[in-house]
Amino acid sequence: KAGVTQTPRYLIKTRGQQVTLSCSPISGHRSVSWYQQTPGQGLQFLFEYFSETQRNKGNFPGRFSGRQFSNSRSEMNVSTLELGDSALYLCASSRDRTNEQFFGPGTRLTVL
Amino acid sequence: AQTVTQSQPEMSVQEAETVTLSCTYDTSENNYYLFWYKQPPSRQMILVIRQEAYKQQNATENRFSVNFQKAAKSFSLKISDSQLGDTAMYFCAFRDDKIIFGKGTRLHILP
């Protein structure tokens, strides 16, 4: 069974631009969560989607948004990028909202 | 609000030794799940072990075992016969409705 895939793996943007990251969960998994990982703040929860509905949201500004499609694939969007948005963005999927999560390799975003 | 605390930012042990990573959490819930994840230098996060709060028996996975103390809200991870490949960042996580991660413990296994 294929694991969680994230595209692109690396991305370089400039301040003010916007970016869209994609996540394909493991087949059969309906829950997708997004995290931001930085050396200073550790792993911070962004949001969780389950069956196309946002179920939980972390403490991030409205510039961060996401969605989930009917095939469970998910995208997250960051608008008006800031230097502080440089991070590793991890996506994780699980069968339902109580099971363990399986993580993708992440997208390394660099904002210049 | 639930919190997860990993009090050891960094640890080093010799290969073949046993090491214990600590994790405490705070919750008013009775039913929840606890996990330990490992993130090697390659950055792919992988699940090490999981524990359901309603189960009194401590979970084990080969060389990895946990000491789950529900009343004390403690969930430590023991790695026996440590190997060089165990070098990684280890995250403790709590999940009921939301999932919350601790800040991690960087573990170095020394040859």
Side-chain angles (χ1 to χ4, degrees):
Chain A
K1 189 183 268 190
V4 178
T5 57
Q6 291 186 244
T7 56
R9 293 292 310 278
Y10 302 91
L11 206 48
I12 299 175
K13 293 284 189 179
T14 57
R15 279 182 300 174
Q17 287 187 308
Q18 76 166 24
V19 65
T20 299
L21 311 182
S22 181
C23 172
S24 292
I26 291 172
S27 178
H29 286 193
R30 295 189 296 166
S31 173
V32 174
S33 296
W34 288 90
Y35 299 88
Q36 182 194 66
Q37 188 176 27
T38 59
Q41 298 296 320
L43 200 63
Q44 292 189 288
F45 170 74
L46 279 156
F47 26 66
E48 178 191 11
Y49 287 88
F50 184 78
S51 295
E52 301 179 66
T53 302
Q54 187 181 90
R55 296 301 179 126
N56 277 306
K57 191 176 190 306
N59 190 26
F60 277 81
R63 300 185 296 107
F64 292 80
S65 63
R67 58 178 175 169
Q68 187 180 32
F69 302 95
S70 58
N71 62 358
S72 292
R73 190 177 70 86
S74 178
E75 289 181 347
M76 68 162 280
N77 184 276
V78 188
S79 62
T80 318
L81 284 165
E82 300 176 359
L83 295 179
D85 297 334
S86 293
L88 181 69
Y89 289 88
L90 294 170
C91 166
S93 76
S94 59
R95 190 171 300 279
D96 57 42
R97 301 184 65 225
T98 58
N99 281 1
E100 63 267 27
Q101 297 187 322
F102 293 85
F103 284 79
T107 294
R108 170 74 63 187
L109 172 65
T110 302
V111 182
L112 303 176
Chain B
Q2 291 95 342
T3 58
V4 176
T5 302
Q6 294 180 248
S7 60
Q8 304 147 313
E10 197 158 0
M11 299 179 71
S12 296
V13 295
Q14 295 293 137
E15 193 177 7
E17 288 185 347
T18 294
V19 59
T20 299
L21 309 183
S22 66
C23 173
T24 58
Y25 58 94
D26 188 26
T27 183
S28 57
E29 300 296 325
N30 193 47
N31 295 318
Y32 49 87
Y33 297 81
L34 295 162
F35 307 96
W36 277 99
Y37 284 90
K38 167 185 176 181
Q39 189 178 37
S42 65
R43 311 297 277 186
Q44 183 96 29
M45 189 95 75
I46 55 176
L47 178 70
V48 175
I49 201 165
R50 64 174 278 173
Q51 174 83 41
E52 291 92 342
Y54 63 86
K55 289 187 178 179
Q56 291 187 335
Q57 186 174 7
N58 290 325
T60 62
E61 285 289 339
N62 301 312
R63 297 182 296 107
F64 298 87
S65 61
V66 297
N67 182 4
F68 174 47
Q69 302 288 329
K70 190 173 183 179
K73 295 178 184 174
S74 171
F75 182 62
S76 61
L77 174 70
K78 185 172 85 170
I79 306 174
S80 302
D81 186 28
S82 57
Q83 301 174 358
L84 296 178
D86 296 332
T87 291
M89 193 76 162
Y90 287 80
F91 293 96
C92 176
F94 166 97
R95 180 163 192 164
D96 55 358
D97 186 47
K98 290 185 179 182
I99 184 163
I100 301 168
F101 284 81
K103 291 201 176 292
T105 295
R106 188 174 301 279
L107 177 65
H108 302 276
I109 308 298
L110 307 173

